[in-house]
Amino acid sequence: SKDYGKPAHVDYELKAVVIHLGRSVHSGHYVAYVKTEKGWVLFNDEKVTTSNNPVLGKGYIYLYEGK
């Protein structure tokens, strides 16, 4: 039987961040940074580029993967 009273120790790794650029939630633009094997990639509509300095601290949604 499984002990549901004790939390399991799980490590997480940040995999992606969705960022809102704009003055309010009613206007602006969303972009995403996704971590790949080769580093961070910025997805901005049709423009996809590598990013050496992703702006991770301004995230709207953070996506993690359990190790």
Side-chain angles (χ1 to χ4, degrees):
S1 88
K2 193 166 186 170
D3 183 4
Y4 291 102
K6 235 181 182 183
H9 178 74
V10 179
D11 288 328
Y12 293 95
E13 182 179 0
L14 182 62
K15 288 294 189 174
V17 179
V18 177
I19 297 172
H20 179 262
L21 306 171
R23 294 179 184 233
S24 75
V25 295
H26 302 292
S27 67
H29 183 69
Y30 290 93
V31 298
Y33 288 99
V34 177
K35 189 174 183 183
T36 69
E37 293 176 357
K38 295 182 180 182
W40 288 96
V41 177
L42 171 62
F43 290 84
N44 185 355
D45 288 340
E46 295 178 358
K47 185 176 180 182
V48 178
T49 60
T50 59
S51 177
N52 294 327
N53 298 309
V55 186
L56 303 179
K58 298 194 178 233
Y60 184 71
I61 299 171
Y62 291 86
L63 301 161
Y64 292 87
E65 179 178 62
K67 289 183 174 184

